Amino acid sequence: MLRFLTAGESHGKGLVAIVDGVPAGLAIDLDAITTELRRRQTGYGRGRRMVIESDRAEPLSGVRHGVTSGGPIALLIPNKDWENWQRTMYVEPQMPAGASGVDRPPVTRPRPGHADLAGFVKYGHDDMRNVLERASARETAARVAVGAIARQLLAAVGADIVSHVVAIGQAAIADPSTISFEQARRIPADAPLHCADPAVEQQMIAEIDRARDAGDTMGGSFEVIAHAVPAGLGSYVQWDRKLDGRLAQAMMSIPAIKAVGIGMGPAVAYVPGSRVHDEIVPGGAAAPIGVRRPTNNAGGLEGGVTNGEDVRVTGYMKPISTLMSPLRSVDLATMTASPAAVERSDVCAVPAAAVVGEAMIAFVLADALIEKFGGDSIEELVGNWNTYRDRTAARLGERKGG
């Protein structure tokens, strides 16, 4: 079983992640983790925080001489901005001598769409900064570091993951299913919004510019594509083992994600079955399980189990809830009408959410991989995978011709 926890606040000393269940013997590329963290900080429409931070994860345990030991992996991501927030975010009962930054007043005006009010009520806080600091999407930096390790585990069996931005506001790719894994992988790293269609990307930029000029924010959608995922991950025998449900929950756990689609997603409700279900045809020697699908409307999952096609999961992100032209709210200290609080924020963070989406999909698939093939070492896991792959190919090969 693969699992992780994160800790830390947006403007605290740093973020911490603990990953448990990674097999021993997996070589960890620390530079690859840094690359994923930097990807999360890019994208047209991001705010000033991305200029301040230069994220890097420092392994504290579970890795020795560049290789996993089988024990829990602890990662630390320091917050560079901590020096500007020590007088607000100190952990001691009294402010330490020499604390830097400024004294910020309590947050008492909740932002519509944020966790501010719900957390205020749930935990009984007087200052909603206790809520927003933890509910902040800054926490997702720790998830991306965890996901980078999961990606390296998946790579041991040849699987890889990419993403692309599908829509920002009204600017959208007409049919995302036409964007192949290879097309998404070829998107330049410096593309402003990581969209596969440069013309649509320019329309997306215009949507963000209009929102910024109005003091508003903009949401959108992105698709994560996992390629060469082994068939047979997940299970149909119990509700909580169905892999599509696990993937959907992981995607929905990302801040501001309000809906998830797998394959065709919501479009399956509006067309007949003959245009939804993926036909099965002989695949030839190159097909991993002996058959292939001319289409992939199911998004690589049937009955909660991977079927050998690319796993395709779409996340739909609402606009960020901090508006520079704030919406109406109530100051809970006085119970009088007041504009919502304004915190430093982005205009659009859909490309960043796509990177977080890749991390969460990678983690769930890596967990399913361990669940299926087991092993306390990466050598044992890969050996089990090779045996399963060869046995499946042999079984289907025996049926050819009669």
Side-chain angles (χ1 to χ4, degrees), residues 2-5 17-22 71-75 146 149 363:
L2 195 62
R3 56 184 178 173
F4 77 94
L5 289 173
I18 297 179
V19 195
D20 189 36
V22 178
I73 299 172
L75 301 168
V146 171
I149 293 174
F363 181 83

Side-chain angles (χ1 to χ4, degrees), residues 38-313:
R38 299 289 167 82
R39 287 181 62 220
R40 176 191 163 277
Q41 295 182 283
T42 61
Y44 193 82
R46 299 304 305 276
R48 291 182 294 116
R49 179 74 183 269
M50 299 307 105
V51 179
I52 296 171
E53 301 292 351
S54 183
D55 288 337
R56 189 175 188 89
E58 177 188 351
L60 303 179
S61 69
V63 179
R64 183 169 181 258
H65 301 162
V67 178
T68 57
S69 66
I73 299 172
L75 301 168
L76 170 65
I77 305 174
N79 285 337
K80 265 182 86 173
D81 206 21
W82 164 243
E83 63 186 32
N84 298 316
W85 286 79
Q86 292 178 17
R87 294 177 66 87
T88 300
M89 294 296 297
Y90 60 87
V91 300
E92 298 83 357
Q94 302 297 324
M95 184 187 301
S100 56
V102 298
D103 290 314
R104 293 171 174 82
V107 179
T108 58
R109 295 173 291 136
R111 292 162 292 174
H114 205 280
D116 299 347
L117 179 58
F120 174 90
V121 173
K122 177 176 176 62
Y123 290 101
H125 295 306
D126 293 324
D127 181 357
M128 277 176 281
R129 182 159 300 284
N130 288 334
V131 179
L132 65 92
E133 286 287 335
R134 179 58 187 167
S136 167
R138 173 68 184 153
E139 180 267 347
T140 62
R143 300 199 210 184
V144 169
V146 171
I149 293 174
R151 294 172 78 108
Q152 294 177 44
L153 178 56
L154 290 169
V157 297
D160 196 8
I161 296 178
V162 297
S163 67
H164 64 108
V165 172
V166 172
I168 301 290
Q170 296 300 310
I173 292 175
D175 184 1
S177 69
T178 63
I179 306 301
S180 68
F181 170 82
E182 289 297 334
Q183 284 177 284
R185 188 165 66 171
R186 288 196 299 266
I187 298 173
D190 60 354
L193 290 168
H194 211 70
C195 177
D197 186 327
V200 174
E201 188 169 60
Q202 290 304 309
Q203 298 170 20
M204 293 175 175
I205 289 172
E207 290 271 5
I208 294 170
D209 287 343
R210 282 192 289 271
R212 179 187 288 111
D213 292 345
D216 214 330
T217 57
M218 190 60 67
S221 62
F222 59 89
E223 184 182 41
V224 177
I225 308 173
H227 181 65
V229 177
L233 304 188
S235 178
Y236 54 81
V237 302
Q238 293 289 357
W239 69 271
D240 58 346
R241 294 177 62 190
K242 289 177 176 283
L243 192 57
D244 42 11
R246 290 152 65 179
L247 290 166
Q249 192 279 330
M251 187 71 86
M252 285 290 289
S253 75
I254 300 170
I257 300 301
K258 300 300 287 184
V260 176
I262 295 178
M264 284 181 68
V268 300
Y270 307 108
V271 291
S274 58
R275 292 169 54 191
V276 172
H277 303 301
D278 305 305
E279 293 184 306
I280 305 170
V281 300
I289 58 172
V291 299
R292 64 181 180 87
R293 309 297 181 98
T295 58
N296 186 19
N297 296 328
L301 290 144
E302 291 172 306
V305 182
T306 55
N307 63 12
E309 301 295 320
D310 287 351
V311 173
R312 303 183 68 122
V313 185

Side-chain angles (χ1 to χ4, degrees), residues 322-402:
T322 294
L323 277 61
M324 294 304 107
S325 295
L327 298 173
R328 292 182 299 169
S329 185
V330 171
D331 189 331
L332 299 182
T334 61
M335 296 306 295
T336 57
S338 177
V342 176
E343 292 280 321
R344 179 176 57 194
S345 187
D346 305 320
V347 178
C348 179
V350 176
V355 177
V356 182
E358 288 180 35
M360 295 305 296
I361 297 304
F363 181 83
V364 173
L365 292 177
D367 180 39
L369 186 76
I370 292 173
E371 176 184 75
K372 170 65 177 171
F373 299 112
D376 294 311
S377 71
I378 194 67
E379 181 180 15
E380 186 178 2
L381 184 148
V382 172
N384 292 341
W385 150 240
N386 287 333
T387 299
Y388 172 83
R389 179 192 59 191
D390 295 345
R391 183 175 66 247
T392 301
R395 286 179 62 232
L396 293 167
E398 290 170 359
R399 288 163 170 75
K400 292 180 181 177

